[in-house]
């Protein structure tokens, strides 16, 4: 019987590679019986979906912007570019 | 030199690059590098490389996306260089979040359930990202970098292993620790 700690590792690994069939089955059985692990599995997959789909594009929600001094310096740099 | 010329073959005049793309490139780099001055350097490098390589663009596709591709390459170079010079042991010594989250028999000590509703509206997405960003800041920098490149940029495990010179099992340990730590951290932010 695998522990939740081991199952969480396998759930995580399954996001990066296909697990052997027998391991997949063991994990699935555990997830059917263990609410905590099932939730963890759902959460990490959700996180992957949300980040990879670009639905949460951090570039568009972050407030940070180029400091004014750098902005000016870069503009000068591009203006004085070699022809 | 000269005033703003009309876009030539899909390339906007370099005079408008900073205003049009500067902030987006800066944020992209900042999120991944977590260092404002390094992020500024990357933006500068991106613009200069783009100037040099402008003939390679030749109006194919979206210029902004092309710039972003250069920026991404730079960011990976910086992260890779940094992971070579920082002590890897410092990362590995960092406490394994599993010690906190599981008891001695390997059972969950805390409920991993209470975090991450699906953020649908724009404002929720922004709020979610801010929380995730705070949580990423608590990870060892190399862990945060690898997690971000994997999940946000979709780099494959092969690419990451090659770029960072680590083994697959090493990478899995790092990604798993990052996921556990984030699960824990998000839970605390939402319900703490
Ligand atoms: Zn379990």
């Amino acid at each position: 019987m695998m522990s939740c700690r081991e199952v969480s590792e396998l759930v995580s690994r399954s996001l990066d590679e296909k697990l052997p069939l027998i391991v997949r089955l063991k994990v699935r059985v555990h997830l059917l019986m263990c609410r905590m692990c099932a939730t963890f599995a759902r959460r990490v997959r959700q996180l992957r979906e949300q980040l990879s789909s670009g639905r949460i594009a951090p570039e568009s929600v972050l407030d940070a912007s180029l400091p004014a001094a750098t902005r000016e310096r870069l503009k000068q740099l591009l203006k004085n570019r070699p022809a | 030199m000269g005033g703003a010329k009309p876009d030539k073959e899909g390339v906007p005049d370099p005079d408008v690059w900073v205003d049009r793309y500067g902030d987006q490139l800066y944020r992209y780099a900042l999120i991944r590098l977590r260092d404002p001055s390094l992020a500024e350097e990357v933006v500068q490098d991106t613009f200069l490389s783009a100037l040099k390589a402008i003939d390679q663009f030749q109006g194919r596709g979206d210029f902004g996306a092309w710039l972003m591709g250069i920026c991404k390459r730079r960011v990976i170079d910086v992260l890779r260089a940094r992971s070579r010079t920082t002590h890897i042991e410092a990362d590995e010594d960092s406490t394994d979040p599993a010690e906190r989250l599981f008891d001695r028999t390997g059972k969950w000590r805390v409920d991993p359930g209470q975090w991450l509703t699906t953020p649908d509206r724009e404002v929720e997405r922004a709020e979610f990202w801010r929380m995730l960003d705070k949580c990423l800041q608590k990870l060892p920098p190399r862990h945060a970098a690898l997690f971000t490149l994997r999940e946000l940029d979709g780099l494959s495990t092969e690419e990451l292993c090659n770029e960072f010179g680590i083994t697959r099992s090493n990478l899995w340990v790092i990604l798993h620790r990052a996921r556990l730590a984030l699960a824990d951290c998000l839970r605390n932010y939402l319900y703490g």
Side-chain angles (χ1 to χ4, degrees), chain B residues 73-88:
Chain B
R73 190 60 249 168
R74 291 268 162 234
V75 165
I76 293 173
D77 287 343
V78 171
L79 287 173
R80 198 177 48 180
R82 191 160 66 185
S83 83
R84 255 200 240 105
T85 52
T86 53
H87 292 288
I88 287 169

Side-chain angles (χ1 to χ4, degrees), chain A residues 41-81:
Chain A
R42 204 164 56 239
R43 296 308 189 213
V44 289
R45 280 186 211 123
Q46 234 175 13
L47 190 57
R48 149 96 30 114
E49 273 164 33
Q50 283 169 350
L51 292 179
S52 63
S53 63
R55 288 182 61 237
I56 307 172
E59 285 82 50
S60 61
V61 296
L62 209 75
D63 302 322
S65 49
L66 268 178
T70 309
R71 188 178 287 275
E72 278 318 303
R73 191 170 52 76
L74 291 181
K75 280 186 182 174
Q76 286 308 314
L77 205 63
L78 290 172
K79 214 185 268 292
N80 299 328
R81 65 191 178 272

Side-chain angles (χ1 to χ4, degrees), chain B residues 22-49:
Chain B
D23 283 342
Q24 216 192 351
L25 295 173
Y26 178 66
R27 286 173 200 156
Y28 178 92
L30 186 62
I31 285 160
R32 285 148 184 89
L33 300 171
R34 311 196 160 276
D35 179 328
S37 57
L38 267 182
E40 289 174 36
E41 246 175 70
V42 163
V43 174
Q44 174 171 333
D45 284 353
T46 300
F47 284 143
L48 293 180
S49 309

Side-chain angles (χ1 to χ4, degrees), chain B residues 153-166:
Chain B
D153 295 311
L155 263 66
S156 70
T157 48
E158 286 77 14
E159 286 172 299
L160 288 174
C161 288
N162 290 339
E163 295 283 0
F164 288 84
I166 53 177

Side-chain angles (χ1 to χ4, degrees), chain B residues 51-84:
Chain B
L51 270 187
K52 264 190 222 142
I54 203 76
D55 291 340
Q56 291 163 29
F57 173 68
Q58 293 175 330
R60 281 174 309 189
D62 175 39
F63 183 73
W66 184 70
L67 270 185
M68 192 56 94
I70 297 175
C71 183
K72 184 171 172 177
R73 190 60 249 168
R74 291 268 162 234
V75 165
I76 293 173
D77 287 343
V78 171
L79 287 173
R80 198 177 48 180
R82 191 160 66 185
S83 83
R84 255 200 240 105

Side-chain angles (χ1 to χ4, degrees), chain A residues 1-5 7-8 30-31 33-38, chain B residues 102 106-108:
Chain A
M1 185 65 189
M2 287 187 293
S3 70
C4 293
R5 185 170 173 165
V7 169
S8 76
H30 183 105
L31 294 184
M33 298 188 305
C34 176
R35 189 183 57 83
M36 304 274 248
C37 283
Chain B
F102 298 96
K107 280 208 186 69
W108 288 98

